[in-house]
Amino acid sequence: MCDVKQRIHEIAEEKRERIAEMNRAVWSYAEYGYQEVQSAAKLTEVLEAEGFQVERGIAGIPTAFVGTYGSGKPVIGILAEYDALPNLSQEAGEAERKPIEGKRYGHGCGHSALGAGAVGAALIVKEYLKETGVQGTVKIFGCPAEETGFGKCFMVREGCFEGLDLCFTWHPMDLNRCFTRSSAYYKVRFDFKGKAAHAGRAPELGRSALDACELMNVGVNYLREHVVSNARIHYAYLDCGGDAPNVVQETASLLYFVRGPRLAVCEEILERVKKIAQGAALMTETNVNIKVLGGMSDFIPNPTASRLLSDAFVEQGAPDFGEEEFAIARKFLDAMTPEDREKAIQTGAKANGISPEEFEKRPLSTTVIPFSEKDRETLSTGSTDVGDVSYNVPTGQFRAAIGVPGITTHTWQFAGMTGTTVGDKASQAIARAIARACTKVYADPSLTEAAKKELLDETKGIYISPLPEGAVPGDGM
Ligand SMILES: [Zn+2]
């Protein structure tokens, strides 16, 4: 095969419809973490039809799977996700709020496109391996419940990724750019138990669990000043003790996320948050039960894997958006407030190196920003369970554009855009980029050794699972 780049492009063209069809199908199912039954069925059906050997229900998770093609080393993993988010259902292409009737969940993080692009990449790699007879294996992993369920952490714990030499994945966003470091986090539940009493006649007999929660939150808000500045601590009330002010609240519960640049940092902060909870219990003469539900490690962008993916994406080109996609994007741009709209245009123009006037007409990212050393150090304060894979296998992860700049993931707008040809084209583009990166590894397996050395230098071979002992998938959802 003389021109691999050209051939990958041709194969990607042949797989175009399949990829779009996967995005649309998974988008329409919009299933929550660990309930992605139809989505996993769709993706595994496609893989089997294309000649992959598929194993379902891996790591004891019914909606997790692995599809394998090829033989021998190098073994490259590609990660797919397909879970949706609650309250983000939205009609495709609609720039005004319009949930789909009877649908609660929506692909506000674009995971339908993520899954379609990842599986699409594996399909392209398969054709390449078949045609060339080159030695190597591709494994496509179906990874459930990224949003709320730490799916990949369980898959790591069960050894699903053992034997991989390198791993690639991507995430929809508003730019075509390498993934930077992400934050680690712990998800922890605090259940306070006090004593109910008549709040008017005999408050002295009551011990308020709600007071304890409030004091705990006040304490944590004072703690904020004394933790590293890139830490994030946020909470929500799971139970505020009922709706009767005249009953001293016997129970009340809080859910906390403690984020930081490394899991060890989160752990330190978490220990201090726990002390505050105990202090609040002491002050209110209540009891507190603390339960770590899970967490995620920070993502380590592997330099070799990131560079490979970056070069491949630049070579194969950004999503080839046309007038149809720009028209959709303009609708979403025009629905913004004038201030947000202006900001989006300026940001998009700058990122794509074109004039604001030009970007206003074509408000989607159409250039690939290559990987730079800075991406290794830049920290995003969001989190992903790809982090846990990246501690065990050298991993490269890119972002590809679906949203208009300023339309972030976890919004109904993002769900609305993912279910259109914008989502399809982003998946198709990243599929050929990931596939091209894989072919570069098959052509030069020594790259995997370099990548593994970089990983070892970074982690010293130490990986601590953020999962508490005995955790099972679905805990803390
Ligand atoms: Zn996501």
Side-chain angles (χ1 to χ4, degrees), residues 321-328 330 361-362:
F321 298 128
E323 189 39 41
E324 186 184 344
E325 291 73 42
F326 293 128
I328 295 167
R330 280 197 301 271
K361 279 184 239 146
R362 300 152 65 91

Side-chain angles (χ1 to χ4, degrees), residues 326-348:
F326 293 128
I328 295 167
R330 280 197 301 271
K331 262 191 4 191
F332 282 84
L333 184 71
D334 292 341
M336 293 179 176
T337 64
E339 299 77 34
D340 287 350
R341 187 177 185 279
E342 188 51 32
K343 218 164 121 190
I345 293 169
Q346 295 300 335
T347 312

